[in-house]
Amino acid sequence: GEDVEQSLFLSVREGDSSVINCTYTDSSSTYLYWYKQEPGAGLQLLTYIFSNMDMKQDQRLTVLLNKKDKHLSLRIADTQTGDSAIYFCAEIGNQGGKLIFGQGTELSVKP
Amino acid sequence: KAGVTQTPRYLIKTRGQQVTLSCSPISGHRSVSWYQQTPGQGLQFLFEYFSETQRNKGNFPGRFSGRQFSNSRSEMNVSTLELGDSALYLCASSAAGVHEQYFGPGTRLTVT
């Protein structure tokens, strides 16, 4: 079946890099996404990667995809206190518009 | 462009009542999806509408229903509310043929 797993917590120091990891099971995923959720807010689409790509860079964000191991990661360079939030990994399953989400990783950035 | 808007933002209802939530997609977007977010179950897909037709449905009981209007605005309805329906309900819109989904701020429903 479709399943997406993430670790629940990550704590880093301001200025360090953060790496958030995600594994998924659906080999037919076409796109994989990273969303950010701040307290009391909806989900903000940060970036996505097409399943035939290995890497995508977007300013401070780098997405790595290992399709063989079904492993996705999000690296945030020079992490700032404003990056503190919950980060969700998601995939488009084989049913079109249905996003399958991980449990979310709470990133805490300490000054 | 204005983002996805959801009304109301907060709602308190009593068990057994019914509720209707509204979602206005980004201008030009024709697909609207609904998700339920709870601390225990996380983010779960409810249903997706495109051009007034339900295109996908998640694994929720029939008490959860939705519809989409010709202007792409969507509503979801929950009848006979249960305590477990307390959640943040999020809607997302996307343009035809485009995979990215953009989310609204959500409606926080509390059932007492």
Side-chain angles (χ1 to χ4, degrees):
Chain A
E2 306 152 330
D3 196 20
V4 179
E5 298 279 336
Q6 298 177 241
S7 53
L8 295 181
F9 300 101
L10 177 65
S11 181
V12 300
R13 289 275 176 206
E14 193 173 22
D16 288 350
S17 291
S18 308
V19 179
I20 302 171
N21 295 300
C22 168
T23 57
Y24 61 97
T25 57
D26 187 358
S27 55
S28 66
S29 298
T30 50
Y31 289 94
L32 296 121
Y33 305 85
W34 286 102
Y35 281 89
K36 175 183 179 183
Q37 186 175 38
E38 296 181 83
L43 301 176
Q44 175 192 354
L45 176 61
L46 288 176
T47 187
Y48 64 88
I49 188 166
F50 185 49
S51 60
N52 71 353
M53 296 171 65
D54 299 323
M55 185 182 91
K56 180 179 180 182
Q57 189 145 3
D58 188 356
Q59 299 182 337
R60 290 191 299 126
L61 305 179
T62 303
V63 179
L64 294 177
L65 175 60
N66 181 329
K67 197 171 179 183
K68 174 176 163 289
D69 294 339
K70 298 191 182 69
H71 182 268
L72 182 74
S73 68
L74 173 70
R75 178 177 179 268
I76 306 173
D78 187 24
T79 313
Q80 302 297 307
T81 53
D83 294 323
S84 293
I86 300 177
Y87 291 79
F88 291 92
C89 163
E91 59 162 358
I92 281 282
N94 56 11
Q95 294 184 50
K98 175 184 174 183
L99 284 169
I100 310 295
F101 286 90
Q103 315 93 301
T105 299
E106 184 176 348
L107 174 65
S108 173
V109 183
K110 303 200 183 313
Chain B
K1 270 188 187 176
V4 178
T5 57
Q6 293 187 245
T7 56
R9 291 293 312 278
Y10 303 92
L11 208 45
I12 299 174
K13 290 285 188 178
T14 304
R15 256 186 315 177
Q17 288 186 314
Q18 67 116 21
V19 69
T20 299
L21 311 182
S22 181
C23 171
S24 292
I26 292 170
S27 177
H29 286 194
R30 291 167 59 193
S31 173
V32 173
S33 298
W34 288 89
Y35 296 84
Q36 182 196 63
Q37 185 177 24
T38 59
Q41 299 298 316
L43 280 152
Q44 294 187 287
F45 172 79
L46 280 154
F47 25 66
E48 179 200 10
Y49 286 88
F50 179 80
S51 291
E52 302 177 67
T53 302
Q54 188 180 86
R55 197 157 66 168
N56 267 309
K57 189 176 189 310
N59 194 21
F60 278 80
R63 300 186 296 108
F64 291 81
S65 62
R67 58 179 176 167
Q68 186 179 34
F69 301 95
S70 58
N71 63 357
S72 295
R73 189 177 71 85
S74 177
E75 288 181 348
M76 67 163 279
N77 184 278
V78 188
S79 62
T80 321
L81 283 165
E82 299 176 0
L83 295 178
D85 297 333
S86 294
L88 181 67
Y89 290 88
L90 293 160
C91 109
S93 75
S94 58
V98 175
H99 61 92
E100 299 109 285
Q101 294 186 28
Y102 295 91
F103 282 78
T107 293
R108 172 76 61 187
L109 171 65
T110 302
V111 182
T112 62

